[in-house]
Amino acid sequence: MKKIGILTSGGDCSGMNACIRSAVRTAIRMNIEIVGFRKGYLGLMKGDCIPLDTKAVSGILHRGGTFLQSARSQEFKTPEGRQLAMDNLKALGIEGLVILGGDGSLTGALELSKMGLPVVGIPASIDNDIPFTDMALGVDTALNNILYAVDCIKDTASSHARAFVIEVMGRHSGYLASIAAIATGAEFALVPEREVDLSEICQQLRVRYEEGRDNAIIILAEGAGKAQDIADAVKDAIGFETRVTVLGHYQRGGAPTVFDRLLASRFGKKAVELLVAGQNGMMVGLSCNTVLAVPIEDVIKGEKRPQDEMLRLAEVLGI
Ligand SMILES: Nc1ncnc2c1ncn2[C@@H]1O[C@H](COP(=O)(O)OP(=O)(O)O)[C@@H](O)[C@H]1O
Ligand SMILES: O=P(O)(O)OC[C@H]1O[C@](O)(COP(=O)(O)O)[C@@H](O)[C@@H]1O
Ligand SMILES: [Mg+2]
């Protein structure tokens, strides 16, 4: 293999830059030319790429986001879009591709691999909804961002005797909500994987309130319900003054944590090594602190839910 490409796709996350840096420096060490495609699959379909060398990836390790930029593309989901990408890759002499992204991007990667292009995926999504890896890139940093925000909100919640509904990301995944609830000592974690029982929540909060605990934090995954509806229900049931805070895209940015920098560096190196070793259609993953390779096909077929143990822990410690 003489020339490979790398791209970042789907929702960005902290650690993507550190991972690109690692992949580039590994490739250069192996005397392999590497180019970066801009804006994920959009760049592939446009043939929009830049050569990457050691200097091009200097000074980015500690920066959130992705300097190659990311995007979502409907066109790439069509056979015509993917054929366009394959034609560009051929014309550019690219013999393999490293793809950083979430479950959607990995599905796209598998399609390219089926068309004959050697591809290795790197799980990168704050949702941590990708099976066969304990952690995806960016999750730890996002959790630390959430922690900081919730700790701040707890201070003002207690000063004003208010209940807060804090919405975190996760349209289909309650991972961030459940772990953040444990780590911040929130009263409730509401996740899309479990039906939300509002009357039960109000009942438990009322008991707490009557015991003299006059503030509360409810962490809501965005896919689990409407924050304002939950806040209104709590207010009506208990008379609690309530506020809603939507953390939004703040969660996805910022300097990566040590954990994410290390994971990014390990994933980037391993992905290039797998490509060069002739592997195709694999994703790197972390299991028991070991970086391994799993078929993307299995990843796509699999499902990852927040562990029942974590949901139960949040429940037991919350009230
Ligand atoms: N079934 C699919 N086939 C081909 N490409 C896909 C498929 N699903 C997603 N993609 C590509 O991956 C991109 C990112 O996926 P998305 O689900 O938005 O984010 P993420 O990869 O972070 O989960 C999509 O915009 C699309 O271009
Ligand atoms: O940035 P956008 O396009 O508004 O997307 C928001 C979504 O992206 C995420 O941050 C990450 O999801 P993906 O990794 O699947 O892209 C979700 O938690 C959130 O629902
Ligand atoms: Mg996704």
Side-chain angles (χ1 to χ4, degrees):
M1 199 163 273
K2 289 199 171 61
K3 190 174 179 185
I4 63 174
I6 186 165
L7 61 83
T8 48
S9 165
D12 70 339
C13 64
S14 291
M16 281 181 158
N17 280 327
C19 193
I20 298 165
R21 171 182 178 271
S22 165
V24 168
R25 293 196 171 174
T26 303
I28 289 165
R29 280 282 182 129
M30 297 172 108
N31 292 317
I32 292 162
E33 199 181 332
I34 180 162
V35 301
F37 286 91
R38 288 199 186 92
K39 299 190 178 159
Y41 294 132
L42 284 181
L44 273 194
M45 289 184 299
K46 285 187 186 160
D48 179 9
C49 63
I50 48 169
L52 296 173
D53 57 15
T54 300
K55 191 159 167 278
V57 293
S58 284
I60 62 167
L61 171 74
H62 62 296
R63 292 193 191 281
T66 160
F67 85 104
L68 288 176
Q69 297 188 287
S70 190
R72 304 187 201 269
S73 159
Q74 283 304 322
E75 193 188 350
F76 188 77
K77 289 188 176 178
T78 66
E80 296 75 22
R82 292 194 294 275
Q83 191 53 55
L84 193 57
M86 287 296 282
D87 293 345
N88 286 330
L89 286 162
K90 195 169 175 214
L92 288 161
I94 309 280
E95 297 164 89
L97 206 53
V98 173
I99 294 174
L100 284 83
D103 51 350
S105 305
L106 291 166
T107 308
L110 184 62
E111 293 294 330
L112 288 178
S113 151
K114 283 182 186 159
M115 292 169 87
L117 179 79
V119 163
V120 173
I122 297 181
S125 164
I126 66 165
D127 286 356
N128 210 23
D129 56 352
I130 303 164
F132 297 101
T133 185
D134 294 343
M135 291 289 270
L137 262 192
V139 178
D140 188 65
T141 305
L143 278 172
N144 278 285
N145 289 343
I146 294 169
L147 233 64
Y148 181 74
V150 175
D151 286 351
C152 291
I153 291 169
K154 276 184 89 154
D155 291 343
T156 174
S158 98
S159 304
H160 284 268
R162 285 171 173 159
F164 272 80
V165 179
I166 303 176
E167 186 188 293
V168 299
M169 279 190 163
R171 262 191 290 247
H172 307 289
S173 168
Y175 183 86
L176 291 177
S178 58
I179 303 300
I182 296 166
T184 60
E187 276 61 43
F188 289 100
L190 309 183
V191 300
E193 293 87 351
R194 281 204 180 166
E195 207 177 318
V196 174
D197 185 343
L198 259 182
S199 62
E200 174 64 21
I201 292 167
C202 291
Q203 162 65 14
Q204 290 193 33
L205 279 176
R206 189 179 300 111
V207 172
R208 240 181 130 262
Y209 190 64
E210 281 159 7
E211 286 170 1
R213 291 192 283 171
D214 63 2
N215 59 81
I217 301 285
I218 299 168
I219 302 201
L220 168 77
E222 60 178 326
K226 287 207 169 70
Q228 195 57 54
D229 291 354
I230 291 157
D232 291 346
V234 169
K235 183 169 187 285
D236 293 347
I238 308 161
F240 239 145
E241 201 179 335
T242 53
R243 292 286 187 272
V244 165
T245 305
V246 177
L247 297 185
H249 291 81
Y250 152 81
Q251 295 160 86
R252 284 221 308 245
T257 56
V258 172
F259 181 89
D260 272 327
R261 293 180 198 201
L262 184 61
L263 191 65
S265 303
R266 295 175 80 188
F267 277 175
K269 177 169 177 284
K270 180 77 172 182
V272 170
E273 287 170 354
L274 286 169
L275 259 190
V276 175
Q279 296 271 7
N280 184 10
M282 304 301 276
M283 180 192 85
V284 297
L286 184 76
S287 177
C288 300
N289 203 22
T290 302
V291 177
L292 40 74
V294 285
I296 298 178
E297 193 131 34
D298 293 351
V299 173
I300 301 305
K301 281 194 211 133
E303 193 196 2
K304 185 168 177 184
R305 298 164 54 85
Q307 290 171 284
D308 284 340
E309 182 208 340
M310 298 302 171
L311 292 172
R312 185 76 193 123
L313 186 60
E315 226 168 81
V316 170
L317 301 183
I319 287 283

